[in-house]
Amino acid sequence: MATETPPPSKTQAQLPSTEDFVAVQESAEFGELRRSYRSFAFPLTVAFIVWYLLYVLLSNYAGDFMGTKLFGNINVALVLGLAQFLTTFLIAWWYARHAAAKLDPKAEAIKSRMEGGA
């Protein structure tokens, strides 16, 4: 069963002015949104870069350690390399949850106020 959607409005939406954007950018609400984003993204980015560089440095300078066999033909280098992929997916999942819970509601409130002219 298909539902009919109304046709798009013929009236052009009023775009916010430059002054409106500047006012929102200087607001406490926008500052809180920016702080929420930065307090999550920046430390996690630094931690992941350090983790990646540790892997690269170990690969270059600790060949004996990285070549240590754990079981069968599986060595430390393979396990740490696969852990790089795992942490990438975990960080993406964690950020999506953080954004949905903390960032998106604040951003949507600002957006609706800007578009609605409230």
Side-chain angles (χ1 to χ4, degrees), residues 5-21:
T5 57
S9 175
K10 299 278 187 199
T11 61
Q12 189 73 8
Q14 180 70 17
L15 295 176
S17 67
T18 303
E19 293 80 20
D20 293 335
F21 280 107

Side-chain angles (χ1 to χ4, degrees), residues 55-107:
Y55 176 72
V56 170
L57 291 172
L58 285 173
S59 295
N60 282 318
Y61 300 110
D64 291 337
F65 169 70
M66 295 295 269
T68 302
K69 292 196 184 246
L70 299 175
F71 46 91
N73 287 329
I74 307 298
N75 61 15
V76 172
L78 180 63
V79 170
L80 292 180
L82 293 173
Q84 290 284 320
F85 288 102
L86 178 64
T87 55
T88 300
F89 291 115
L90 286 174
I91 288 170
W93 170 78
W94 191 16
Y95 176 77
R97 287 192 55 188
H98 172 75
K102 303 267 170 84
L103 304 178
D104 293 348
K106 292 175 187 176

